[in-house]
Amino acid sequence: MKKIWFTSGASIVLAGCLIFLLFFYRGHQPSPSPNSNGGTQDTSAGSPEEIVSNSCISCHGENLQGGAGPALNKIGAKYTQNDIEDIINNGKNGMPAGVISNEEAAIVAEWLSQKK
């Protein structure tokens, strides 16, 4: 009988911890680095290859050949830089909006628009 109570109690505690993590854990959040005028700057934007590697290849493929999402390796022949940026920011068909920041979207859109 003691074993049942212990197992039930441990299960409830474990379930509570999992629910807490599911709703409240945000992982490691990098702090903004200070800039020369004493303020902070956002460090999220990087090279387009780095942004794509971190946020896009899971759907569009490691070489942008396509996968769950369409191929992007020649997307510049179909869309302009502004069109690509709009799709990244607002989504289209199965592409969700806001996967990356607006600043990152501009960087990636410029890079992708050159892929023809």
Side-chain angles (χ1 to χ4, degrees), residues 1-14:
M1 189 69 168
K2 278 185 173 181
K3 188 175 184 180
I4 293 173
W5 282 105
F6 178 76
T7 305
S8 298
S11 297
I12 291 171
V13 170
L14 181 60

CSV table of all heavy atoms in Angstrom, one decimal, residues 1-14:
chain,number,residue,atom,x,y,z
A,1,MET,N,0.8,-1.2,0.0
A,1,MET,CA,0.0,0.0,0.0
A,1,MET,C,0.9,1.3,0.0
A,1,MET,O,0.5,2.2,-0.7
A,1,MET,CB,-0.9,0.0,1.2
A,1,MET,CG,-2.0,1.0,1.2
A,1,MET,SD,-3.1,0.7,-0.1
A,1,MET,CE,-4.4,1.9,0.3
A,2,LYS,N,2.0,1.2,0.8
A,2,LYS,CA,2.9,2.4,0.8
A,2,LYS,C,3.5,2.6,-0.6
A,2,LYS,O,3.6,3.8,-1.0
A,2,LYS,CB,4.0,2.1,1.8
A,2,LYS,CG,3.7,2.4,3.2
A,2,LYS,CD,4.9,2.3,4.0
A,2,LYS,CE,4.7,2.7,5.5
A,2,LYS,NZ,6.0,2.6,6.2
A,3,LYS,N,3.8,1.6,-1.3
A,3,LYS,CA,4.4,1.7,-2.6
A,3,LYS,C,3.4,2.4,-3.6
A,3,LYS,O,3.8,3.2,-4.4
A,3,LYS,CB,4.7,0.3,-3.2
A,3,LYS,CG,5.5,0.4,-4.4
A,3,LYS,CD,6.0,-1.0,-4.8
A,3,LYS,CE,6.8,-1.0,-6.1
A,3,LYS,NZ,7.3,-2.3,-6.5
A,4,ILE,N,2.1,2.1,-3.5
A,4,ILE,CA,1.2,2.8,-4.4
A,4,ILE,C,1.1,4.3,-4.1
A,4,ILE,O,1.1,5.1,-5.0
A,4,ILE,CB,-0.2,2.1,-4.2
A,4,ILE,CG1,-0.2,0.7,-4.8
A,4,ILE,CG2,-1.3,2.9,-4.9
A,4,ILE,CD1,-1.4,-0.1,-4.5
A,5,TRP,N,1.0,4.6,-2.8
A,5,TRP,CA,1.0,6.0,-2.4
A,5,TRP,C,2.2,6.8,-2.9
A,5,TRP,O,2.2,7.9,-3.4
A,5,TRP,CB,0.8,6.2,-0.9
A,5,TRP,CG,-0.6,6.0,-0.5
A,5,TRP,CD1,-1.1,4.9,0.1
A,5,TRP,CD2,-1.7,6.8,-0.7
A,5,TRP,NE1,-2.5,5.0,0.3
A,5,TRP,CE2,-2.9,6.2,-0.2
A,5,TRP,CE3,-1.9,8.1,-1.3
A,5,TRP,CZ2,-4.1,6.8,-0.2
A,5,TRP,CZ3,-3.1,8.6,-1.3
A,5,TRP,CH2,-4.2,8.0,-0.8
A,6,PHE,N,3.4,6.1,-2.7
A,6,PHE,CA,4.7,6.8,-3.1
A,6,PHE,C,4.7,7.0,-4.6
A,6,PHE,O,5.1,8.0,-5.1
A,6,PHE,CB,5.8,5.9,-2.6
A,6,PHE,CG,7.2,6.5,-3.0
A,6,PHE,CD1,7.7,7.6,-2.4
A,6,PHE,CD2,7.8,5.9,-4.1
A,6,PHE,CE1,8.9,8.1,-2.8
A,6,PHE,CE2,9.0,6.4,-4.5
A,6,PHE,CZ,9.6,7.5,-3.9
A,7,THR,N,4.3,5.9,-5.3
A,7,THR,CA,4.3,6.0,-6.8
A,7,THR,C,3.3,7.1,-7.3
A,7,THR,O,3.7,7.9,-8.2
A,7,THR,CB,4.0,4.7,-7.4
A,7,THR,OG1,4.9,3.7,-6.9
A,7,THR,CG2,4.1,4.7,-8.9
A,8,SER,N,2.2,7.1,-6.7
A,8,SER,CA,1.2,8.1,-7.1
A,8,SER,C,1.7,9.5,-6.8
A,8,SER,O,1.5,10.5,-7.6
A,8,SER,CB,-0.2,7.9,-6.3
A,8,SER,OG,-0.7,6.6,-6.7
A,9,GLY,N,2.2,9.7,-5.6
A,9,GLY,CA,2.8,11.0,-5.2
A,9,GLY,C,3.9,11.5,-6.1
A,9,GLY,O,4.0,12.6,-6.5
A,10,ALA,N,4.8,10.5,-6.4
A,10,ALA,CA,5.9,10.9,-7.3
A,10,ALA,C,5.4,11.2,-8.7
A,10,ALA,O,5.9,12.2,-9.3
A,10,ALA,CB,6.9,9.7,-7.4
A,11,SER,N,4.4,10.5,-9.2
A,11,SER,CA,3.8,10.8,-10.5
A,11,SER,C,3.2,12.2,-10.5
A,11,SER,O,3.3,13.0,-11.5
A,11,SER,CB,2.8,9.8,-10.9
A,11,SER,OG,3.4,8.5,-11.0
A,12,ILE,N,2.5,12.6,-9.5
A,12,ILE,CA,1.9,13.9,-9.4
A,12,ILE,C,2.9,15.0,-9.4
A,12,ILE,O,2.8,16.0,-10.1
A,12,ILE,CB,0.9,14.0,-8.2
A,12,ILE,CG1,-0.3,13.1,-8.4
A,12,ILE,CG2,0.5,15.4,-7.9
A,12,ILE,CD1,-1.2,12.9,-7.2
A,13,VAL,N,4.0,14.8,-8.6
A,13,VAL,CA,5.1,15.8,-8.5
A,13,VAL,C,5.8,15.9,-9.9
A,13,VAL,O,6.0,17.0,-10.4
A,13,VAL,CB,6.1,15.4,-7.4
A,13,VAL,CG1,7.3,16.3,-7.5
A,13,VAL,CG2,5.5,15.6,-6.1
A,14,LEU,N,6.0,14.8,-10.5
A,14,LEU,CA,6.7,14.8,-11.9
A,14,LEU,C,5.8,15.5,-12.9
A,14,LEU,O,6.2,16.4,-13.7
A,14,LEU,CB,7.0,13.4,-12.3
A,14,LEU,CG,7.7,13.3,-13.7
A,14,LEU,CD1,9.0,14.0,-13.7
A,14,LEU,CD2,7.9,11.8,-14.0
